């Protein structure tokens, strides 16, 4: 009778490490100098920035307006709460 998949008796394929491969020191980075690694880093940054979906001018205006309105509302709310608590403290503590 065959063992079930994932049985303790039979190891999975990924568990078996081939003994013919030699472990490298440092991996891929050991072959490149620091300037080449830095250049690769900047190339990768530029490649990632090209993938970004940038907002249109209309979207940017909308987002900015929403943020400014939200901040103004929060400033007003905090001001009212502060004003109320300061008058409450004056009333309680004289």
């Amino acid at each position: 009778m065959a063992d079930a998949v994932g049985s303790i008796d039979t190891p999975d394929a990924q568990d078996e490490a081939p003994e013919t491969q030699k472990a490298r020191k440092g991996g891929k980075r050991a072959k490149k100098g620091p300037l080449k690694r830095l250049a690769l880093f900047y190339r990768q940054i530029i490649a990632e920035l090209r993938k970004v979906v940038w907002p249109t001018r209309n979207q940017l205006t909308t987002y900015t307006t929403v943020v400014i309105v939200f901040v103004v509302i929060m400033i007003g709310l905090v001001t009212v709460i502060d004003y109320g608590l300061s008058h409450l403290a004056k009333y309680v503590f004289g």
Side-chain angles (χ1 to χ4, degrees):
M1 187 155 116
D3 288 334
V5 175
S7 174
I8 295 174
D9 297 335
T10 58
D12 293 334
Q14 66 262 19
D15 292 342
E16 297 177 7
E19 295 176 15
T20 57
Q21 287 184 348
K22 217 177 194 181
R24 283 191 265 168
K25 267 191 174 175
K28 294 179 182 178
R29 285 197 258 163
K31 294 181 179 179
K32 298 179 182 176
L35 291 178
K36 287 188 179 184
R37 284 188 286 164
L38 189 61
L40 175 65
F41 177 69
Y42 284 117
R43 281 196 307 268
Q44 289 173 345
I45 289 174
I46 291 170
E48 287 297 321
L49 284 176
R50 287 187 179 142
K51 295 178 188 177
V52 173
V53 178
W54 298 98
T56 63
R57 185 174 293 273
N58 191 20
Q59 289 173 331
L60 192 61
T61 304
T62 304
Y63 298 156
T64 304
T65 304
V66 168
V67 168
I68 290 173
V69 168
F70 177 76
V71 168
V72 167
I73 290 171
M74 292 308 295
I75 288 172
L77 183 67
V78 170
T79 302
V80 167
I81 292 172
D82 184 46
Y83 184 74
L85 289 176
S86 67
H87 278 301
L88 180 67
K90 285 181 186 176
Y91 176 75
V92 170
F93 297 113

